[in-house]
Amino acid sequence: MIEFKGAYFDGKISRAYPVSVVFDGRRLHIRGVDGDYPALDIAPEDCAITPPLGNTMRYIKLPGGAQCETADTEAVSALEHLTGRNAGMRLVHFMEKRWKTAAAALAGLVLCVWVFVTYGIPFVAQKIAYSVPPELTEQMSRQAIKMLDRRFLKPSELDREKSRELQGEFRRLYREIDGDFDYRLEFRKSPYIGPNAFALPSGLIIMTDELVKLAADNRELQAILVHEIAHVKKRHALRSIIQNSGVFLLVSALAGDVTSITSTAASLPTLLAQSGYSRKFETEADRAAAVYMIRKGWGTRPLQAILLRITRNMAGYPGESLLSSHPLTDQRVRYLRDIEASMPAPQGSGGIK
Ligand SMILES: [Zn+2]
């Protein structure tokens, strides 16, 4: 039973009659406290309870233009509960009354979205990237290189001897670092992207003739190759395009439809030839290359030297690239020096973890 006091207006004159209101579970009984006017028994379906707003008075509209007002907001809330009225507005009222709760809930929501975007999406993208079957990776890579060949690359004019020599060094490198994966090295000439190298997710690494010519020695090229092998090993290309693909693709891939990844394949050439990887992925690949070279006893100087030279020589080429698009080359060089300073003296294997 709900009971509260209030004022009754009959809708004809503006007089307020003090009343007591009782709801017995079936009907509202409104009785005047100073006499017998009014004396009403009304079904709750025939009343309208005005939605609560802030801590104001509550009004119950009665048939025939009469109404009851009360300051007992709790009793009216209880009445709404029992009669199932104003459920949506009650939430608004709850939020208004508890704006701190509302603000905290909003902050919580923003935090959830931030955590999801910063950690959730990359985490899910990584899981998906490692579950993409090799045939699919191969197919995407083939399409990408076809497109890159058409737009940015020309057949290599490197002499056979140099090419054979680098192929031999490349084989030794990847067998040591990631022997179970099928890596390949191919050369291209590119007046567009200039001295450059990039890796397709299938393990095909492309190095331009311009880069071979720019290198002071093969060790600099090996440093670049280890960096590219790290991009492949850590699935950076797939992870990048999956991360950038949006939630729809993530959901469908998580639901088991990994082939939906192919819908993003079109962005692969752009990623490789123009936009480049995120700073985080570049740092990961730099670190892998640095650790390998330091353990080999080569130090990071060859990689520093070639990065600086690439940056200096990019001016004449219209294409941006993952190796050279960094105005951040100085930062990368500093990072390589820092790793070298923090690592113990060389020895042991040069694997990428
Ligand atoms: Zn890179």
Side-chain angles (χ1 to χ4, degrees):
M1 197 167 78
I2 299 165
E3 203 173 345
F4 57 92
K5 302 240 176 293
Y8 171 79
F9 298 86
D10 62 11
K12 295 174 190 106
I13 56 168
S14 62
R15 180 173 164 195
Y17 299 90
V19 289
S20 73
V21 182
V22 173
F23 179 63
D24 62 7
R26 290 187 308 115
R27 293 178 82 80
L28 280 168
H29 306 285
I30 303 168
R31 296 285 180 272
V33 289
D34 294 336
D36 49 11
Y37 185 83
L40 299 164
D41 299 307
I42 300 166
E45 306 85 79
D46 297 331
C47 306
I49 303 174
T50 55
L53 280 171
N55 281 312
T56 56
M57 300 286 284
R58 300 298 309 270
Y59 301 90
I60 302 169
K61 305 261 185 212
L62 305 170
Q67 75 169 25
C68 223
E69 72 169 52
T70 176
D72 194 342
T73 53
E74 263 175 45
V76 177
S77 295
L79 186 62
E80 283 177 311
H81 247 292
L82 282 179
T83 58
R85 299 298 178 86
N86 296 335
M89 284 308 287
R90 275 208 305 275
L91 179 67
V92 173
H93 179 58
F94 172 85
M95 298 297 262
E96 276 178 351
K97 273 179 74 178
R98 294 166 180 78
W99 66 268
K100 280 184 187 163
T101 314
L106 183 64
L109 181 69
V110 169
L111 183 70
C112 282
V113 170
W114 180 80
V115 168
F116 179 67
V117 170
T118 312
Y119 299 104
I121 291 181
F123 178 78
V124 171
Q126 183 179 1
K127 292 272 165 239
I128 298 171
Y130 280 97
S131 68
V132 176
E135 314 83 66
L136 210 58
T137 315
E138 183 65 43
Q139 184 197 328
M140 287 167 69
S141 302
R142 239 194 335 261
Q143 280 172 12
I145 191 64
K146 214 188 259 177
M147 191 271 191
L148 289 165
D149 272 336
R150 214 168 38 229
R151 291 191 50 190
F152 304 121
L153 308 169
K154 290 181 157 49
S156 171
E157 290 169 6
L158 213 60
D159 67 75
R160 270 174 176 232
E161 202 178 321
K162 184 73 184 172
S163 152
R164 212 175 297 137
E165 182 187 315
L166 289 169
Q167 290 287 4
E169 288 176 3
F170 176 67
R171 252 194 311 278
R172 277 194 295 281
L173 278 179
Y174 81 74
R175 281 181 182 156
E176 188 180 350
I177 295 167
D178 190 15
D180 298 332
F181 202 81
D182 183 24
Y183 288 90
R184 279 159 300 145
L185 171 65
E186 291 182 12
F187 299 97
R188 297 285 194 281
K189 186 179 148 80
S190 180
Y192 181 79
I193 61 174
N196 210 325
F198 57 86
L200 291 131
S202 62
L204 172 61
I205 292 172
I206 303 292
M207 185 176 267
T208 62
D209 294 359
E210 288 81 355
L211 182 62
V212 175
K213 279 177 196 132
L214 189 68
D217 55 37
N218 284 2
R219 188 146 294 174
E220 290 186 357
L221 296 175
Q222 287 172 327
I224 296 288
L225 288 171
V226 182
H227 173 103
E228 294 305 327
I229 289 170
H231 277 317
V232 176
K233 187 169 180 183
K234 290 166 187 285
R235 305 277 197 281
H236 285 164
L238 285 179
R239 284 161 69 183
S240 299
I241 57 173
I242 295 168
Q243 265 172 241
N244 297 337
S245 66
V247 173
F248 174 75
L249 183 98
L250 291 182
V251 171
S252 66
L254 276 181
D257 182 18
V258 177
T259 51
S260 55
I261 300 296
T262 43
S263 65
T264 64
S267 61
L268 190 54
T270 316
L271 174 83
L272 296 174
Q274 284 171 321
S275 55
Y277 296 112
S278 70
R279 186 89 198 96
K280 180 174 173 272
F281 287 168
E282 283 309 333
T283 304
E284 262 183 42
D286 279 347
R287 180 168 189 87
V291 169
Y292 178 86
M293 293 185 299
I294 294 164
R295 286 188 179 153
K296 280 277 168 190
W298 305 345
T300 61
R301 261 167 202 274
L303 185 53
Q304 293 176 33
I306 190 77
L307 286 176
L308 289 168
R309 212 170 309 121
I310 289 170
T311 308
R312 275 201 300 275
N313 282 272
M314 273 313 285
Y317 299 94
E320 294 274 358
S321 76
L322 48 148
L323 279 171
S324 59
S325 63
H326 313 273
L328 304 162
T329 304
D330 287 344
Q331 259 183 47
R332 292 177 74 185
V333 165
R334 223 174 303 130
Y335 177 68
L336 292 171
R337 283 187 195 137
D338 289 347
I339 297 176
E340 193 154 6
S342 69
M343 272 190 62
Q347 270 326 302
S349 82
I352 295 174
K353 288 207 186 68

